[in-house]
Amino acid sequence: MNLKKSFNQVERELGYPRNALANYRLGKQPSARRLSELADFFDVSDEYLLEKKQ
């Protein structure tokens, strides 16, 4: 899936602070609520996002 959106665009659409997604990519764990929001946004399961992290 390629939505062609930057981290900053996704953060703005979800109302997240700047660099939140970059922090998750670098190892910081999102809250369960944020994980669920991101899964809904990208139309994938929570488990899918967790698997990609490992």
Side-chain angles (χ1 to χ4, degrees), residues 13-49:
E13 288 183 35
L14 292 173
Y16 293 175
R18 187 169 169 88
N19 295 321
L21 298 180
N23 289 337
Y24 300 150
R25 186 175 181 196
L26 294 173
K28 183 176 180 193
Q29 295 295 317
S31 67
R33 180 174 146 234
R34 285 238 172 122
L35 180 66
S36 182
E37 290 170 349
L38 288 167
D40 288 345
F41 183 86
F42 290 108
D43 196 26
V44 298
S45 68
D46 295 6
E47 291 80 16
Y48 176 82
L49 293 178

